[in-house]
Amino acid sequence: MNASLDIQPLSSWINTEGKPLVIAGPCSAETEEQMLETATQIKEEGFAHVLRAGIWKPRTRPGSFEGMGEAALPWLMAAKKETGLPVAIEVANPQHIELALKYGVDILWIGARTTVNPFNVQELADALKGVDVPVLVKNPVNPDLQLWIGALERLNQAGVTKLGAIHRGFSNAQETKFRNSPMWNIAIELKTLLPNLPVIGDPSHMAGKRAYLYEVAQRALDLNYDGLIIESHREPDKAWSDAAQQLTPAALGQMLHDLHVRKESYGSDYQSQLEVVRGKIDNLDRELLETLAARMSLVEKLAEYKRDNNVAAYQVDRFREVLETRAGWGKSLNLYPNLVDELFKLVHMESIRKQTEVMNQVSA
Ligand code: PEP
Ligand code: MN
């Protein structure tokens, strides 16, 4: 399905002086003091364009810290006044929106647990009709690109044009080193389908641990993301939520300083090198396809032989052998195991289709 959104550029609602947007602040606003001190330190570090804080926290189990609610909004406003930075919070229902606007919150985001539910998203969209506020939509918890796009469309149809996406990763049944699997290809597809949509990376919720923040943030910048939203707390280990993934403002300042921001437009020298490498890649891709075509004509020969000897097109032992040997070859060539596995599943599926076609041609 085609998607197109009427979106204003990021620069229409925030001035980042050409740098990636940085949104920083605690996972949750816990106390007035914690909020103000964290915000002041962030301001002093000088890297942030926007302050974030969780006011209402969606927690998996009841009894976990669920946010301070409305009581925390004046603290956030005090932090805004103190630092001069605009503030962003998560909203999950129309009442949250009403309160956020009443207190003067500048930017809203929709959390991953809300994006999954089109009923909730529609309620938020309806509440935002006629309101001129930027809204960032986190990806849904499950890896469903259409659901993410659907949420963006609902908001856009309600007239929200200062719109962006936050890529925070996807929950994954398997144990992985990350809290939420990035599944970068989903965000890349989003960027491809909606080139004018600002996309912001959320390394905190992908990494889940301080030690992995840098690599995730760098990857997002390498993919030309428009910014980062990162959790920062004056005393991360004592945070009431998401303690393992938060950084002190100073540590975050250092990390951002160490990250490499890739240039969007390249110098002519770089451009020509790029073209040379792309040309080589084009040639290799052509060779890949020629090799595939040669393989398919062998498969046709095999099918004729099987047909004449009345043998089935598919033999499970052979399939297993193909996957196993190719996995070994791929490994010795340093190829990513999943790539080799998926590739040969596809190639084998096409072989079976081709063989069935050949075998039926004569018997029909
Ligand atoms: C958060 O930003 O603190 C948060 C709860 O995020 P998510 O919706 O991505 O889980
Ligand atoms: Mn959090």
Side-chain angles (χ1 to χ4, degrees):
M1 202 180 74
N2 280 339
S4 83
L5 300 175
D6 172 19
I7 298 176
Q8 299 188 52
L10 201 64
S11 57
S12 73
W13 52 270
I14 189 93
N15 179 11
T16 63
E17 284 154 357
K19 293 188 191 144
L21 169 68
V22 175
I23 304 176
C27 178
S28 306
E30 300 162 0
T31 65
E32 180 165 26
E33 215 206 338
Q34 168 256 5
M35 188 64 234
L36 275 174
E37 198 176 317
T38 305
T40 310
Q41 288 179 14
I42 287 173
K43 173 69 185 178
E44 274 167 12
E45 290 293 325
F47 55 73
H49 307 104
V50 178
L51 285 175
R52 65 150 280 157
I55 302 296
W56 299 278
K57 299 304 297 179
R59 307 319 295 180
T60 305
R61 303 277 304 273
S64 317
F65 172 60
E66 292 188 322
M68 296 306 291
E70 186 178 352
L73 285 170
W75 311 338
L76 195 58
M77 290 306 120
K80 172 179 169 173
K81 197 160 169 223
E82 183 76 28
T83 60
L85 293 171
V87 292
I89 67 167
E90 172 178 347
V91 290
N93 62 42
Q95 199 205 350
H96 293 166
I97 293 179
E98 199 185 311
L99 287 168
L101 298 174
K102 182 175 132 192
Y103 281 86
V105 171
D106 304 277
I107 298 161
L108 309 178
W109 84 79
I110 296 182
R113 292 161 195 78
T114 306
T115 310
V116 283
N117 187 330
F119 289 126
N120 285 4
V121 174
Q122 191 57 53
E123 273 179 13
L124 297 179
D126 292 343
L128 285 165
K129 278 198 181 122
V131 179
D132 185 26
V133 65
V135 183
L136 303 172
V137 182
K138 286 205 174 194
N139 65 257
V141 176
N142 53 324
D144 184 338
L145 177 61
Q146 293 306 319
L147 210 46
W148 199 1
I149 293 177
L152 290 158
E153 284 174 332
R154 284 177 198 278
L155 290 159
N156 200 221
Q157 280 170 18
V160 179
T161 54
K162 292 170 181 164
L163 204 53
I166 297 177
H167 178 205
R168 53 77 82 191
F170 301 88
S171 86
N172 191 336
Q174 286 152 17
E175 274 293 312
T176 65
K177 82 177 205 186
F178 296 131
R179 177 177 173 194
N180 290 294
S181 306
M183 303 191 194
W184 297 103
N185 56 322
I186 294 182
I188 291 168
E189 210 176 326
L190 180 76
K191 276 164 75 72
T192 312
L193 288 170
L194 299 166
N196 58 346
L197 177 73
V199 178
I200 292 159
D202 177 348
S204 304
H205 292 89
M206 288 197 230
K209 288 201 180 71
R210 274 188 275 289
Y212 305 140
L213 288 171
Y214 180 88
E215 64 182 277
V216 176
Q218 185 61 62
R219 187 77 196 274
L221 292 181
D222 289 348
L223 292 171
N224 206 16
Y225 279 33
D226 299 273
L228 298 169
I229 176 167
I230 306 187
E231 291 183 341
S232 180
H233 189 288
R234 63 171 179 174
E235 268 183 301
D237 288 331
K238 294 198 177 145
W240 298 358
S241 59
D242 290 351
Q245 70 195 28
Q246 303 204 57
L247 287 174
T248 61
L252 177 54
Q254 185 62 46
M255 186 185 103
L256 291 167
H257 176 263
D258 294 343
L259 288 168
H260 303 282
V261 179
R262 316 289 182 198
K263 282 188 232 101
E264 209 178 325
S265 50
Y266 324 103
S268 58
D269 189 23
Y270 187 82
Q271 189 74 42
S272 61
Q273 284 177 37
L274 203 70
E275 253 143 40
V276 171
V277 179
R278 282 186 175 149
K280 286 184 183 165
I281 289 177
D282 288 351
N283 286 338
L284 284 177
D285 281 353
R286 196 163 174 97
E287 278 175 37
L288 257 175
L289 291 177
E290 284 165 357
T291 306
L292 254 185
R295 189 190 195 279
M296 282 308 155
S297 58
L298 287 178
V299 165
E300 262 180 70
K301 280 210 179 71
L302 191 70
E304 287 161 14
Y305 184 76
K306 283 186 184 174
R307 180 192 62 208
D308 296 341
N309 290 280
N310 206 23
V311 176
Y314 176 72
Q315 277 97 31
V316 70
D317 286 343
R318 169 66 183 158
F319 182 38
R320 223 176 270 141
E321 188 208 338
V322 166
L323 288 186
E324 267 164 28
T325 51
R326 276 57 169 175
W329 301 342
K331 198 169 167 210
S332 65
L333 291 166
N334 255 338
L335 287 169
Y336 184 56
N338 264 8
L339 169 71
V340 177
D341 195 58
E342 292 297 329
L343 180 66
F344 278 97
K345 277 185 190 147
L346 274 178
V347 167
H348 188 257
M349 225 153 55
E350 171 59 9
S351 295
I352 303 284
R353 193 197 62 77
K354 188 90 210 158
Q355 290 184 56
T356 317
E357 199 179 58
V358 171
M359 290 163 104
N360 287 337
Q361 258 164 18
V362 169
S363 60

